[in-house]
Amino acid sequence: MANRRKMKCDCGTYLKEKETEIEHILTKAMVCPTCTFTTLTKDQAKEFRIRLEFHKAIDQERQVIKVGNSMGITLPEKLHEFGVNIGTKVKIEAIDQKSFRVEIR
Ligand SMILES: [Zn+2]
């Protein structure tokens, strides 16, 4: 993250680093506060590619299964590549009545 030089938009305003949505993926990008022009630095593009791969690995429809007396959802094998293994701790948090998020600890 040594790349701290200021980038100027064609409209004359300096771009600001901001979490923004690109192809439905939330990622850091350089955004013009005036005209919303958006571009990625080399590091941001690298990060975006990793997030894109993560979405490809996790975004899918799954079925709730029975695990002993509990309910479970299996996770795709590809998550190993992102450091998720048997025993990995996760935090489950409700978002609304129909969704919850699972955060890898
Ligand atoms: Zn601009």
Side-chain angles (χ1 to χ4, degrees):
M1 311 301 145
N3 193 2
R4 274 279 151 253
R5 73 196 157 91
K6 281 192 166 184
M7 296 167 76
K8 212 171 193 176
C9 179
D10 284 346
C11 77
T13 313
Y14 283 110
L15 301 178
K16 279 195 176 135
E17 189 174 64
K18 197 181 152 196
E19 285 273 335
T20 192
E21 210 174 281
I22 300 171
E23 291 173 47
H24 306 292
I25 292 160
L26 200 62
T27 194
K28 274 190 186 134
M30 301 309 291
V31 181
C32 174
T34 307
C35 70
T36 71
F37 168 78
T38 302
T39 189
L40 297 173
T41 65
K42 213 171 175 181
D43 285 342
Q44 288 167 344
K46 213 160 120 189
E47 180 68 29
F48 175 65
R49 234 185 34 238
I50 293 167
R51 289 192 190 194
L52 193 63
E53 282 302 308
F54 190 62
H55 270 268
K56 277 191 208 157
I58 199 87
D59 293 3
Q60 56 191 285
E61 202 170 271
R62 293 262 160 170
Q63 196 167 24
V64 176
I65 58 167
K66 188 173 167 65
V67 183
N69 286 322
S70 302
M71 294 187 285
I73 304 167
T74 58
L75 300 172
E77 189 79 5
K78 189 140 170 86
L79 282 188
H80 286 303
E81 291 171 25
F82 296 92
V84 180
N85 292 295
I86 305 299
T88 296
K89 283 212 163 43
V90 296
K91 186 184 170 200
I92 303 171
E93 191 180 23
I95 296 172
D96 55 43
Q97 299 97 313
K98 283 202 154 227
S99 51
F100 57 86
R101 61 187 241 148
V102 179
E103 188 183 319
I104 303 159
R105 284 298 170 96

